[in-house]
Short mmCIF file of all heavy atoms in Angstrom, two decimals:
data_model
loop_
_atom_site.label_atom_id
_atom_site.label_comp_id
_atom_site.label_asym_id
_atom_site.label_seq_id
_atom_site.Cartn_x
_atom_site.Cartn_y
_atom_site.Cartn_z
N ALA Z 220 -16.83 5.49 23.61
CA ALA Z 220 -15.40 5.84 23.49
C ALA Z 220 -15.03 7.22 24.05
O ALA Z 220 -14.09 7.35 24.77
CB ALA Z 220 -14.91 5.77 22.00
N LEU Z 221 -15.99 8.18 23.79
CA LEU Z 221 -15.77 9.48 24.36
C LEU Z 221 -15.95 9.52 25.89
O LEU Z 221 -15.15 10.16 26.64
CB LEU Z 221 -16.81 10.47 23.75
CG LEU Z 221 -16.70 11.97 24.08
CD1 LEU Z 221 -15.26 12.49 23.89
CD2 LEU Z 221 -17.67 12.75 23.28
N ALA Z 222 -16.85 8.69 26.36
CA ALA Z 222 -16.99 8.61 27.82
C ALA Z 222 -15.76 8.04 28.48
O ALA Z 222 -15.25 8.41 29.57
CB ALA Z 222 -18.20 7.71 28.16
N ARG Z 223 -15.15 7.06 27.79
CA ARG Z 223 -13.94 6.42 28.37
C ARG Z 223 -12.79 7.42 28.39
O ARG Z 223 -12.10 7.54 29.43
CB ARG Z 223 -13.57 5.21 27.48
CG ARG Z 223 -12.47 4.34 27.98
CD ARG Z 223 -12.29 3.07 27.28
NE ARG Z 223 -12.09 3.44 25.81
CZ ARG Z 223 -12.85 3.11 24.80
NH1 ARG Z 223 -13.95 2.40 25.08
NH2 ARG Z 223 -12.62 3.36 23.56
N VAL Z 224 -12.70 8.22 27.33
CA VAL Z 224 -11.62 9.20 27.35
C VAL Z 224 -11.88 10.33 28.40
O VAL Z 224 -10.97 10.82 29.07
CB VAL Z 224 -11.56 9.91 25.89
CG1 VAL Z 224 -10.54 11.04 25.92
CG2 VAL Z 224 -11.11 8.84 24.90
N GLU Z 225 -13.19 10.82 28.46
CA GLU Z 225 -13.48 11.81 29.52
C GLU Z 225 -13.19 11.29 30.90
O GLU Z 225 -12.69 11.95 31.73
CB GLU Z 225 -14.99 12.19 29.41
CG GLU Z 225 -15.36 12.81 28.13
CD GLU Z 225 -15.04 14.28 28.05
OE1 GLU Z 225 -14.30 14.76 28.87
OE2 GLU Z 225 -15.54 14.97 27.09
N ALA Z 226 -13.52 9.97 31.23
CA ALA Z 226 -13.27 9.33 32.45
C ALA Z 226 -11.76 9.38 32.76
O ALA Z 226 -11.40 9.53 33.89
CB ALA Z 226 -13.87 8.05 32.57
N ALA Z 227 -11.02 9.05 31.69
CA ALA Z 227 -9.51 8.98 31.98
C ALA Z 227 -9.00 10.34 32.36
O ALA Z 227 -7.91 10.48 32.95
CB ALA Z 227 -8.90 8.39 30.71
N GLN Z 228 -9.59 11.40 31.88
CA GLN Z 228 -9.18 12.72 32.07
C GLN Z 228 -9.82 13.29 33.44
O GLN Z 228 -9.58 14.42 33.78
CB GLN Z 228 -9.52 13.69 30.98
CG GLN Z 228 -8.86 13.32 29.69
CD GLN Z 228 -9.22 14.23 28.56
OE1 GLN Z 228 -8.57 15.38 28.24
NE2 GLN Z 228 -10.32 13.91 27.85
N GLY Z 229 -10.58 12.45 34.12
CA GLY Z 229 -11.10 12.80 35.41
C GLY Z 229 -12.50 13.49 35.35
O GLY Z 229 -12.93 13.94 36.43
N ASP Z 230 -13.09 13.59 34.27
CA ASP Z 230 -14.38 14.23 34.17
C ASP Z 230 -15.57 13.17 34.20
O ASP Z 230 -16.05 12.77 33.12
CB ASP Z 230 -14.50 15.15 32.85
CG ASP Z 230 -15.61 16.08 32.93
OD1 ASP Z 230 -16.60 15.90 33.66
OD2 ASP Z 230 -15.57 17.15 32.20
N GLU Z 231 -15.80 12.75 35.31
CA GLU Z 231 -16.83 11.61 35.45
C GLU Z 231 -18.22 12.07 35.07
O GLU Z 231 -18.93 11.19 34.59
CB GLU Z 231 -16.71 11.08 36.83
CG GLU Z 231 -15.38 10.42 37.21
CD GLU Z 231 -15.25 9.83 38.59
OE1 GLU Z 231 -16.36 10.08 39.38
OE2 GLU Z 231 -14.30 9.38 39.02
N GLU Z 232 -18.59 13.25 35.38
CA GLU Z 232 -19.93 13.65 35.04
C GLU Z 232 -20.17 13.61 33.51
O GLU Z 232 -21.17 13.19 33.09
CB GLU Z 232 -20.25 15.09 35.68
CG GLU Z 232 -20.12 15.13 37.20
CD GLU Z 232 -21.22 14.26 37.77
OE1 GLU Z 232 -22.35 14.18 37.17
OE2 GLU Z 232 -21.00 13.67 38.70
N ARG Z 233 -19.21 14.19 32.81
CA ARG Z 233 -19.43 14.08 31.30
C ARG Z 233 -19.36 12.64 30.83
O ARG Z 233 -20.08 12.30 29.89
CB ARG Z 233 -18.22 14.86 30.60
CG ARG Z 233 -18.44 16.36 30.71
CD ARG Z 233 -17.36 17.12 29.81
NE ARG Z 233 -17.63 18.56 29.82
CZ ARG Z 233 -16.82 19.39 29.15
NH1 ARG Z 233 -15.88 18.99 28.41
NH2 ARG Z 233 -17.04 20.67 29.15
N ALA Z 234 -18.51 11.88 31.43
CA ALA Z 234 -18.44 10.49 30.97
C ALA Z 234 -19.78 9.74 31.32
O ALA Z 234 -20.27 9.11 30.39
CB ALA Z 234 -17.38 9.71 31.81
N LEU Z 235 -20.38 10.03 32.38
CA LEU Z 235 -21.65 9.50 32.65
C LEU Z 235 -22.74 9.91 31.71
O LEU Z 235 -23.68 9.20 31.33
CB LEU Z 235 -22.12 9.76 34.15
CG LEU Z 235 -21.45 8.96 35.25
CD1 LEU Z 235 -21.68 9.62 36.67
CD2 LEU Z 235 -21.83 7.54 35.17
N ALA Z 236 -22.64 11.28 31.34
CA ALA Z 236 -23.61 11.71 30.35
C ALA Z 236 -23.52 11.09 29.00
O ALA Z 236 -24.46 10.64 28.38
CB ALA Z 236 -23.38 13.23 30.13
N HIS Z 237 -22.35 10.77 28.58
CA HIS Z 237 -22.18 10.05 27.31
C HIS Z 237 -22.53 8.58 27.42
O HIS Z 237 -23.11 7.99 26.37
CB HIS Z 237 -20.61 10.11 26.84
CG HIS Z 237 -20.31 11.47 26.30
ND1 HIS Z 237 -20.81 11.92 25.14
CD2 HIS Z 237 -19.48 12.45 26.77
CE1 HIS Z 237 -20.25 13.17 24.87
NE2 HIS Z 237 -19.49 13.50 25.89
N VAL Z 238 -22.31 7.95 28.47
CA VAL Z 238 -22.81 6.60 28.73
C VAL Z 238 -24.41 6.58 28.73
O VAL Z 238 -24.96 5.69 28.04
CB VAL Z 238 -22.27 6.01 30.13
CG1 VAL Z 238 -23.06 4.74 30.39
CG2 VAL Z 238 -20.85 5.78 30.06
N ALA Z 239 -25.00 7.61 29.29
CA ALA Z 239 -26.44 7.67 29.23
C ALA Z 239 -26.94 7.85 27.87
O ALA Z 239 -27.91 7.27 27.37
CB ALA Z 239 -26.98 8.75 30.09
N ARG Z 240 -26.23 8.60 26.97
CA ARG Z 240 -26.62 8.78 25.57
C ARG Z 240 -26.52 7.52 24.79
O ARG Z 240 -27.32 7.12 23.97
CB ARG Z 240 -25.84 9.87 24.93
CG ARG Z 240 -26.19 11.32 25.46
CD ARG Z 240 -25.27 12.34 24.90
NE ARG Z 240 -25.45 13.64 25.55
CZ ARG Z 240 -24.74 14.73 25.33
NH1 ARG Z 240 -23.67 14.61 24.43
NH2 ARG Z 240 -24.91 15.83 25.91
N ALA Z 241 -25.41 6.80 25.06
CA ALA Z 241 -25.19 5.48 24.41
C ALA Z 241 -26.29 4.54 24.77
O ALA Z 241 -26.80 3.75 23.93
CB ALA Z 241 -23.82 4.85 24.79
N GLN Z 242 -26.75 4.58 26.02
CA GLN Z 242 -27.80 3.65 26.46
C GLN Z 242 -29.12 4.07 25.86
O GLN Z 242 -30.01 3.22 25.48
CB GLN Z 242 -27.96 3.64 28.05
CG GLN Z 242 -26.92 2.83 28.73
CD GLN Z 242 -27.14 1.41 28.61
OE1 GLN Z 242 -26.61 0.74 27.78
NE2 GLN Z 242 -28.02 0.84 29.40
N ALA Z 243 -29.42 5.36 25.73
CA ALA Z 243 -30.57 5.85 25.05
C ALA Z 243 -30.57 5.40 23.58
O ALA Z 243 -31.61 4.99 23.02
CB ALA Z 243 -30.70 7.37 25.13
N LEU Z 244 -29.47 5.33 22.92
CA LEU Z 244 -29.39 4.88 21.43
C LEU Z 244 -29.56 3.49 21.34
O LEU Z 244 -30.23 3.03 20.43
CB LEU Z 244 -28.08 5.40 20.87
CG LEU Z 244 -27.91 6.98 20.67
CD1 LEU Z 244 -26.55 7.28 20.36
CD2 LEU Z 244 -28.83 7.36 19.52
N VAL Z 245 -28.77 2.70 22.21
CA VAL Z 245 -28.89 1.32 22.16
C VAL Z 245 -29.19 0.67 23.54
O VAL Z 245 -28.22 0.53 24.32
CB VAL Z 245 -27.63 0.66 21.56
CG1 VAL Z 245 -27.70 -0.82 21.47
CG2 VAL Z 245 -27.32 1.28 20.23
N PRO Z 246 -30.43 0.52 23.90
CA PRO Z 246 -30.71 0.07 25.29
C PRO Z 246 -30.05 -1.26 25.56
O PRO Z 246 -30.01 -2.21 24.72
CB PRO Z 246 -32.19 -0.09 25.27
CG PRO Z 246 -32.73 0.86 24.24
CD PRO Z 246 -31.61 0.88 23.24
N GLY Z 247 -29.37 -1.39 26.71
CA GLY Z 247 -28.63 -2.62 27.05
C GLY Z 247 -27.25 -2.75 26.35
O GLY Z 247 -26.67 -3.83 26.31
N HIS Z 248 -26.69 -1.63 25.87
CA HIS Z 248 -25.46 -1.68 25.42
C HIS Z 248 -24.39 -2.19 26.35
O HIS Z 248 -24.06 -1.59 27.34
CB HIS Z 248 -25.09 -0.25 24.81
CG HIS Z 248 -23.85 -0.18 23.92
ND1 HIS Z 248 -22.51 -0.36 24.33
CD2 HIS Z 248 -23.83 0.05 22.63
CE1 HIS Z 248 -21.73 -0.31 23.29
NE2 HIS Z 248 -22.44 0.03 22.25
N ALA Z 249 -23.80 -3.36 26.08
CA ALA Z 249 -22.97 -4.07 26.98
C ALA Z 249 -21.70 -3.19 27.40
O ALA Z 249 -21.44 -3.10 28.58
CB ALA Z 249 -22.50 -5.44 26.43
N GLU Z 250 -21.07 -2.67 26.42
CA GLU Z 250 -19.91 -1.90 26.80
C GLU Z 250 -20.18 -0.65 27.65
O GLU Z 250 -19.48 -0.25 28.53
CB GLU Z 250 -19.09 -1.60 25.51
CG GLU Z 250 -17.70 -1.02 25.78
CD GLU Z 250 -16.95 -0.72 24.50
OE1 GLU Z 250 -17.37 -1.06 23.44
OE2 GLU Z 250 -15.83 -0.17 24.59
N ALA Z 251 -21.28 -0.07 27.25
CA ALA Z 251 -21.71 1.16 28.02
C ALA Z 251 -22.02 0.80 29.40
O ALA Z 251 -21.68 1.48 30.35
CB ALA Z 251 -22.93 1.79 27.28
N LEU Z 252 -22.67 -0.33 29.57
CA LEU Z 252 -22.97 -0.79 30.99
C LEU Z 252 -21.69 -1.12 31.83
O LEU Z 252 -21.71 -0.90 32.99
CB LEU Z 252 -23.98 -1.96 30.88
CG LEU Z 252 -25.40 -1.65 30.50
CD1 LEU Z 252 -26.21 -2.97 30.23
CD2 LEU Z 252 -26.13 -0.80 31.41
N ARG Z 253 -20.86 -1.79 31.22
CA ARG Z 253 -19.56 -2.05 31.85
C ARG Z 253 -18.86 -0.71 32.35
O ARG Z 253 -18.35 -0.63 33.52
CB ARG Z 253 -18.60 -2.84 31.03
CG ARG Z 253 -19.08 -4.35 30.82
CD ARG Z 253 -17.91 -5.10 30.18
NE ARG Z 253 -18.22 -6.51 30.05
CZ ARG Z 253 -18.84 -6.98 28.91
NH1 ARG Z 253 -19.05 -6.22 27.83
NH2 ARG Z 253 -19.12 -8.29 28.80
N LEU Z 254 -18.87 0.20 31.43
CA LEU Z 254 -18.24 1.52 31.82
C LEU Z 254 -19.08 2.19 32.78
O LEU Z 254 -18.50 2.81 33.78
CB LEU Z 254 -18.10 2.37 30.49
CG LEU Z 254 -17.44 3.68 30.75
CD1 LEU Z 254 -16.05 3.54 31.36
CD2 LEU Z 254 -17.32 4.42 29.34
N LEU Z 255 -20.45 2.07 32.72
CA LEU Z 255 -21.31 2.66 33.78
C LEU Z 255 -20.91 2.04 35.21
O LEU Z 255 -20.86 2.80 36.16
CB LEU Z 255 -22.68 2.46 33.43
CG LEU Z 255 -23.67 3.02 34.43
CD1 LEU Z 255 -23.61 4.50 34.71
CD2 LEU Z 255 -25.16 2.54 34.00
N VAL Z 256 -20.83 0.74 35.21
CA VAL Z 256 -20.41 0.18 36.52
C VAL Z 256 -19.11 0.63 37.04
O VAL Z 256 -18.94 0.98 38.21
CB VAL Z 256 -20.40 -1.35 36.41
CG1 VAL Z 256 -19.83 -2.06 37.61
CG2 VAL Z 256 -21.91 -1.85 36.13
N GLU Z 257 -18.07 0.78 36.12
CA GLU Z 257 -16.81 1.26 36.50
C GLU Z 257 -16.88 2.65 37.05
O GLU Z 257 -16.25 3.06 38.18
CB GLU Z 257 -15.88 1.20 35.35
CG GLU Z 257 -14.44 1.68 35.72
CD GLU Z 257 -13.55 1.68 34.40
OE1 GLU Z 257 -13.76 0.82 33.52
OE2 GLU Z 257 -12.64 2.46 34.42
N LEU Z 258 -17.61 3.52 36.38
CA LEU Z 258 -17.79 4.91 36.87
C LEU Z 258 -18.55 5.03 38.24
O LEU Z 258 -18.15 5.84 39.10
CB LEU Z 258 -18.41 5.75 35.78
CG LEU Z 258 -17.69 5.91 34.52
CD1 LEU Z 258 -18.57 6.52 33.43
CD2 LEU Z 258 -16.55 6.84 34.71
N GLU Z 259 -19.62 4.15 38.34
CA GLU Z 259 -20.23 4.21 39.64
C GLU Z 259 -19.52 3.66 40.83
O GLU Z 259 -19.61 4.12 41.91
CB GLU Z 259 -21.61 3.44 39.51
CG GLU Z 259 -22.65 4.03 38.63
CD GLU Z 259 -23.11 5.44 39.03
OE1 GLU Z 259 -22.80 5.79 40.25
OE2 GLU Z 259 -23.81 6.10 38.33
N ARG Z 260 -18.62 2.73 40.54
CA ARG Z 260 -17.67 2.24 41.58
C ARG Z 260 -16.79 3.39 42.01
O ARG Z 260 -16.51 3.53 43.25
CB ARG Z 260 -16.81 1.10 41.12
CG ARG Z 260 -17.63 -0.27 41.01
CD ARG Z 260 -16.60 -1.32 40.59
NE ARG Z 260 -17.33 -2.64 40.36
CZ ARG Z 260 -17.17 -3.39 39.40
NH1 ARG Z 260 -16.28 -3.12 38.45
NH2 ARG Z 260 -17.81 -4.52 39.31
N ARG Z 261 -16.39 4.26 41.12
CA ARG Z 261 -15.52 5.39 41.51
C ARG Z 261 -16.29 6.33 42.31
O ARG Z 261 -15.81 6.91 43.28
CB ARG Z 261 -15.00 6.08 40.25
CG ARG Z 261 -14.02 5.31 39.38
CD ARG Z 261 -13.52 6.17 38.31
NE ARG Z 261 -12.86 5.35 37.31
CZ ARG Z 261 -12.32 5.94 36.14
NH1 ARG Z 261 -12.44 7.29 35.93
NH2 ARG Z 261 -11.75 5.16 35.17
N ARG Z 262 -17.54 6.53 41.96
CA ARG Z 262 -18.35 7.42 42.79
C ARG Z 262 -18.81 6.92 44.12
O ARG Z 262 -19.03 7.72 45.03
CB ARG Z 262 -19.66 7.86 41.95
CG ARG Z 262 -19.32 8.54 40.61
CD ARG Z 262 -20.63 8.82 39.87
NE ARG Z 262 -21.46 9.76 40.54
CZ ARG Z 262 -22.67 10.07 40.17
NH1 ARG Z 262 -23.31 9.43 39.25
NH2 ARG Z 262 -23.35 11.09 40.76
N ALA Z 263 -18.83 5.69 44.28
CA ALA Z 263 -19.14 4.93 45.58
C ALA Z 263 -20.48 5.35 46.17
O ALA Z 263 -20.56 5.40 47.27
CB ALA Z 263 -18.01 5.25 46.57
N ASP Z 264 -21.45 5.47 45.28
CA ASP Z 264 -22.82 5.72 45.71
C ASP Z 264 -23.49 4.36 45.67
O ASP Z 264 -23.77 3.84 44.56
CB ASP Z 264 -23.56 6.72 44.91
CG ASP Z 264 -24.98 7.02 45.36
OD1 ASP Z 264 -25.55 6.23 46.12
OD2 ASP Z 264 -25.54 8.04 45.00
N PRO Z 265 -23.79 3.73 46.88
CA PRO Z 265 -24.33 2.34 46.85
C PRO Z 265 -25.59 2.19 46.01
O PRO Z 265 -25.80 1.15 45.31
CB PRO Z 265 -24.54 2.02 48.28
CG PRO Z 265 -23.77 2.96 49.02
CD PRO Z 265 -23.66 4.19 48.21
#
Side-chain angles (χ1 to χ4, degrees):
L221 185 52
R223 190 172 55 245
V224 174
E225 298 279 15
Q228 296 179 91
D230 197 338
E231 295 177 0
E232 294 301 324
R233 284 190 177 181
L235 285 169
H237 285 293
V238 168
R240 290 177 189 172
Q242 283 288 96
L244 288 165
V245 180
H248 193 286
E250 190 176 353
L252 287 170
R253 287 191 179 92
L254 183 55
L255 176 61
V256 168
E257 180 183 334
L258 292 169
E259 292 296 351
R260 284 186 183 131
R261 294 184 194 177
R262 298 178 71 192
D264 182 341

